[in-house]
């Protein structure tokens, strides 16, 4: 079966349609578009294309109709129309843009450029936020259970350990009146004995009941001076102070009994080093020469040594300078009372500032002598502290009228230091042992709790 041949463009179209198409071409030529069959200028459209676009004709359809129009002579309608070049010449040239228009145009261009940059930044932020969100969600999905932490290998005992018990500023014989201290602290020879007894009891408890691992290998007791108050000033004889000789006897017996108690409960050997303080001197003013040899603190230490002479596990060591260097597993300590090298009150910064200056000077002085060490142990300021240069001890007497009125110092409670030295790590624990009880002053009472206020908050 033969298929019908496709109709050629322009064939089968009525003359009226062709004339109407010719009129549209004429109108487009009159509007300035290029005449059919001519080469249009750059950017110029022919009248044929304009007419075809108006009628929705394709290029082939438009070209077919144009051939038919020319064959029938219908193109005569645009022969008398002025050429496109002439028509375009009659068109009024556009006016040049004004300065204001150019400025406005430039501003708009800059705003557009800024908006593009802002849009880019916002897109970058969105991308970063999406990346972070994806990372967090991935981490959240990856978190399934806590990491497994296993105990350290071995028996957990650690290395060998020794203990340093620092005893200083006992001020046996000094009297501190509770009423005169506004109820903060009291002190007498009886309170002195009680606090010293608590010191040795707490030390024994820490080294037995609360100790883990191998027993303590060695106990170093540092008698750091001012074991008695002495009659240095007229006011020392006032307020019920105990005489010097009974004070020496009381503190010697108490310390000797405490060391014997530690020997029986803990059982380790004991080394005792003595550094006399400024209160034990026998002169109205401190003397640099023989000030540490001719000192009542030495009498106290000798008395303790005499009472423990039957126990070979307790050894006493003395120096001519009164400053003792000793070694624990290679870690070196310097024992001094603390009145040497740094005078004054410490000013605005208080006792710790004095301790920093004094300990630093001690390090410098001993290093220049070729006898460097690691830590200073000192008392004197009645304020316990730990600083990079060493450890400062508290006192057994606690806050007294001199500290409250003369120095305006912080109300430090009665305390003494206990240090634990490990063979590899050095000082691994600094323990301040508090010695007072509430009946000896409000410094030793826990802070009052308003239970009604607590209940109100809970509600």
């Amino acid at each position: 079966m033969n298929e019908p041949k496709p109709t050629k463009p322009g064939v089968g179209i009525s003359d009226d349609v062709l004339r109407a198409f010719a009129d549209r071409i004429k109108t487009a030529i009159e509007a300035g578009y290029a005449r059919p069959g001519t080469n249009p200028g750059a950017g110029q459209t022919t009248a044929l294309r304009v007419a075809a676009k108006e009628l929705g004709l394709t290029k082939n359809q438009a070209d077919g109709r144009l051939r038919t129009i020319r064959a029938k002579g219908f193109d005569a309608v645009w022969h008398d129309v002025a050429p496109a070049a002439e028509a375009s010449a009659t068109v009024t040239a556009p006016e040049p843009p004004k300065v204001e228009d150019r400025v406005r145009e430039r501003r708009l261009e800059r705003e557009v450029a800024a908006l593009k940059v802002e849009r880019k930044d916002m897109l970058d932020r969105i991308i970063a936020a999406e990346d972070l969100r994806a990372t967090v969600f991935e981490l959240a999905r990856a978190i399934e259970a806590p990491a497994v932490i296993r105990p350290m290998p071995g028996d957990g005992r650690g290395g060998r350990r020794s203990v340093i018990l620092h005893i200083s500023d006992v001020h046996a014989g000094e009297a501190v009146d509770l009423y005169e201290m506004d109820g903060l602290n009291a002190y007498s020879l009886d309170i002195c004995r009680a606090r010293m007894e608590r010191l040795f009891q707490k030390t024994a408890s820490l080294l037995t009941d609360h100790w883990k691992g191998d027993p303590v290998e060695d106990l170093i007791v540092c008698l750091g001076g001012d074991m008695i108050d002495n009659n240095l000033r007229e006011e020392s004889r006032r307020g019920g102070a105990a005489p010097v000789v009974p004070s020496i006897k009381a503190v010697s017996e108490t310390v000797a009994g405490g060391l014997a108690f530690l020997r029986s409960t803990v059982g380790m050997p004991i080394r005792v080093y003595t550094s006399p303080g400024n209160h034990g001197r026998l002169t109205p003013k401190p003397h640099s020469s023989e000030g540490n040899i001719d000192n009542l603190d030495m009498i106290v230490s000798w008395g303790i040594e005499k009472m423990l002479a039957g126990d070979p596990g307790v050894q006493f060591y003395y120096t001519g300078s009164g400053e003792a260097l000793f070694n624990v597993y290679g870690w070196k300590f310097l024992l001094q009372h603390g009145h040497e090298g740094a005078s004054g009150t410490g000013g605005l910064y208080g006792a710790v500032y004095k301790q920093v200056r004094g300990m630093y000077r001690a390090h410098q002085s001993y290093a220049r002598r070729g006898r460097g060490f690691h830590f200073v142990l000192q008392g004197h300021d009645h304020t316990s502290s730990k600083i990079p240069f060493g450890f400062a001890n508290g006192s057994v007497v606690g806050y007294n009228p001199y500290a409250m009125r003369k120095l305006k110092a912080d109300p430090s409670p009665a305390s003494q230091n206990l240090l634990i030295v490990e063979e590899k790590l050095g000082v691994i624990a600094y323990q301040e042992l508090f010695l007072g009880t509430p009946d000896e002053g409000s410094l030793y009472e826990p802070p009052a709790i308003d239970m009604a206020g607590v209940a109100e908050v809970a509600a």
Side-chain angles (χ1 to χ4, degrees):
M1 183 176 180
N2 296 327
E3 295 182 358
K5 296 182 179 180
T7 306
K8 295 182 179 179
V11 178
I13 300 174
S14 65
D15 291 346
D16 293 337
V17 172
L18 293 174
R19 286 192 182 92
F21 188 61
D23 290 338
R24 286 181 178 274
I25 295 175
K26 175 186 175 183
T27 303
I29 294 173
E30 291 174 346
Y33 291 97
R35 190 185 302 270
T38 62
N39 293 324
Q44 192 177 18
T45 306
T46 63
L48 176 63
R49 298 290 176 262
V50 173
K53 184 176 181 181
E54 291 176 355
L55 296 177
L57 301 177
T58 65
K59 182 177 181 300
N60 290 337
Q61 289 174 337
D63 292 341
R65 289 190 183 190
L66 178 61
R67 288 193 295 271
T68 306
I69 288 171
R70 284 176 174 170
K72 293 186 177 185
F74 295 157
D75 59 337
V77 295
W78 65 70
H79 286 169
D80 297 332
V81 177
E86 297 176 5
S88 60
T90 61
V91 178
T92 305
E95 294 183 3
K98 298 180 180 179
V99 175
E100 294 81 359
D101 296 335
R102 294 292 298 167
V103 170
R104 187 180 303 108
E105 181 181 355
R106 181 57 183 157
R107 285 178 178 173
L108 291 174
E109 290 176 353
R110 293 175 62 181
E111 289 180 7
V112 170
L115 289 173
K116 288 181 178 179
V117 172
E118 184 177 356
R119 176 176 175 271
K120 179 179 178 298
D121 291 342
M122 291 183 65
L123 288 174
D124 291 341
R125 293 180 187 177
I126 293 173
I127 292 172
E130 287 295 327
D131 291 343
L132 178 61
R133 176 176 176 272
T135 302
V136 171
F137 281 169
E138 287 297 326
L139 288 175
R141 282 192 289 268
I143 295 175
E144 298 178 355
V148 177
I149 307 298
R150 294 180 175 83
M152 294 181 63
D155 55 11
R157 294 176 179 273
R160 297 181 299 163
R161 289 167 290 175
S162 292
V163 172
I164 298 175
L165 177 60
H166 195 173
I167 303 175
S168 72
D169 301 282
V170 179
H171 286 265
E174 181 177 352
V176 178
D177 183 70
L178 188 65
Y179 177 74
E180 187 181 3
M181 293 296 297
D182 294 335
L184 290 171
N185 184 44
Y187 198 62
S188 65
L189 204 55
D190 291 337
I191 294 177
C192 172
R193 292 190 185 94
R195 289 181 181 176
M196 293 296 293
E197 184 176 351
R198 295 180 200 127
L199 172 63
F200 292 111
Q201 290 171 340
K202 290 187 176 185
T203 301
S205 177
L206 288 174
L207 302 184
T208 54
D209 299 335
H210 302 282
W211 190 264
K212 182 179 180 181
D214 294 332
V216 179
E217 284 198 341
D218 195 14
L219 173 63
I220 298 95
V221 176
C222 295
L223 301 181
D226 285 0
M227 302 297 287
I228 62 169
D229 187 54
N230 205 358
N231 290 329
L232 298 182
R233 299 177 298 274
E234 175 62 26
E235 65 183 46
S236 297
R237 298 178 178 272
R238 300 170 64 89
V244 175
V245 173
S247 300
I248 293 175
K249 181 176 183 295
V251 72
S252 300
E253 292 174 346
T254 304
V255 174
L259 297 184
F261 171 71
L262 292 177
R263 285 284 293 158
S264 64
T265 55
V266 185
M268 68 291 184
I270 298 176
R271 285 185 277 162
V272 182
Y273 296 91
T274 300
S275 178
N278 58 307
H279 271 258
R281 67 182 186 266
L282 300 178
T283 55
K285 293 184 179 180
H287 284 191
S288 298
S289 298
E290 299 184 354
N292 287 328
I293 298 175
D294 200 13
N295 192 296
L296 294 178
D297 284 330
M298 299 299 296
I299 298 294
V300 172
S301 183
W302 289 339
I304 299 169
E305 182 180 13
K306 182 67 174 178
M307 284 181 269
L308 298 176
D311 187 351
V314 184
Q315 298 294 323
F316 287 76
Y317 300 88
Y318 305 95
T319 65
S321 67
E323 297 179 348
L325 269 175
F326 61 91
N327 188 314
V328 184
Y329 304 126
W331 298 93
K332 297 180 181 179
F333 297 82
L334 172 69
L335 173 65
Q336 64 179 18
H337 177 61
H339 63 291
E340 314 92 334
S343 59
T345 63
L348 178 65
Y349 304 101
V352 176
Y353 182 62
K354 280 183 59 183
Q355 293 162 359
V356 170
R357 287 191 293 125
M359 291 185 187
Y360 176 77
R361 288 177 178 176
H363 276 276
Q364 290 292 98
S365 175
Y366 272 79
R368 291 179 181 273
R369 303 179 213 174
R371 305 179 69 191
F373 56 88
H374 296 95
F375 302 106
V376 176
L377 302 177
Q378 71 177 41
H380 183 63
D381 295 306
H382 296 202
T383 304
S384 178
S385 67
K386 174 185 179 297
I387 59 178
F389 304 115
F391 302 85
N393 201 24
S395 69
V396 179
V397 61
Y399 203 43
N400 61 10
Y402 181 78
M404 184 171 73
R405 295 188 179 84
K406 179 71 174 179
L407 303 180
K408 294 297 182 182
D410 289 338
S412 297
S415 70
Q416 300 282 265
N417 287 348
L418 181 75
L419 307 180
I420 299 176
V421 185
E422 201 264 351
E423 61 175 332
K424 296 179 181 178
L425 303 176
V427 179
I428 59 174
Y430 154 71
Q431 182 69 50
E432 186 177 2
L433 305 180
F434 294 96
L435 309 177
T437 55
D439 60 300
E440 297 169 359
S442 59
L443 275 180
Y444 313 106
E445 295 178 355
I449 300 177
D450 184 4
M451 297 307 298
V454 172
E456 182 178 348
V457 171

